[in-house]
Amino acid sequence: MTKPLPSQSDLQRDFIYYNKVGLLVRRKTNKCSNIQANGYVYATYKGKKYAVHRLIWKYVTGEDPNVIDHINGDRFDNRWHNLRNVDAALNARNARAPLDNPNGTIPLTEERKALG
């Protein structure tokens, strides 16, 4: 189970979301978040570490997401049109194969094919 996210009003007060580039920036410091070795972007907010794509979902919709899927498979791409709230099964189906996968690549879902 994921930890509860901060409120939408707190996020909108303390951050600016630049949708065109998918960045969540702190209002007071103009600092962005950090990309981690796993390819996801994380931010520490009020002493807790959060995945930025989850914060963005809450920032925009006001709802805590189930699982956020990056439609094009790029974990760094946090533009709104690339994020969707899905269940774990669909998220896993849209996952990229590891580079060392002996079975080749996983076929793209129709959503990822459409993004080209």
Side-chain angles (χ1 to χ4, degrees), residues 1-3 5 40 51-58 61 63-71 75 78 80 82-95:
M1 183 168 170
T2 60
K3 64 183 146 212
L5 297 172
Y40 288 108
V52 167
H53 54 275
R54 295 181 60 75
L55 292 178
I56 289 170
W57 191 269
K58 181 75 175 252
T61 68
E63 300 172 1
D64 282 12
N66 183 15
V67 176
I68 296 298
D69 180 44
H70 290 82
I71 297 168
R75 296 172 175 180
N78 288 317
W80 180 249
N82 188 46
L83 304 177
R84 63 181 172 173
N85 187 20
V86 299
D87 61 26
L90 181 56
N91 188 51
R93 199 178 82 203
N94 197 34

Side-chain angles (χ1 to χ4, degrees), residues 34-42 53 70 74-78:
N34 299 313
I35 188 166
Q36 302 293 303
N38 66 3
Y40 288 108
V41 181
Y42 288 89
H53 54 275
H70 290 82
D74 182 352
R75 296 172 175 180
F76 185 72
D77 185 354
N78 288 317

Side-chain angles (χ1 to χ4, degrees), residues 2-75:
T2 60
K3 64 183 146 212
L5 297 172
S7 71
Q8 182 183 36
S9 60
D10 284 351
L11 291 171
Q12 290 178 346
R13 180 191 65 227
D14 295 336
F15 292 92
I16 301 170
Y17 174 50
Y18 294 98
N19 178 44
K20 287 187 179 183
V21 290
L23 291 177
L24 193 64
V25 178
R26 291 182 187 277
R27 287 184 186 272
K28 289 184 180 180
T29 63
N30 286 327
K31 290 187 178 179
C32 297
S33 305
N34 299 313
I35 188 166
Q36 302 293 303
N38 66 3
Y40 288 108
V41 181
Y42 288 89
T44 301
Y45 181 64
K46 296 186 178 182
K48 295 181 181 177
K49 185 176 175 181
Y50 298 96
V52 167
H53 54 275
R54 295 181 60 75
L55 292 178
I56 289 170
W57 191 269
K58 181 75 175 252
Y59 181 101
V60 173
T61 68
E63 300 172 1
D64 282 12
N66 183 15
V67 176
I68 296 298
D69 180 44
H70 290 82
I71 297 168
N72 69 4
D74 182 352
R75 296 172 175 180

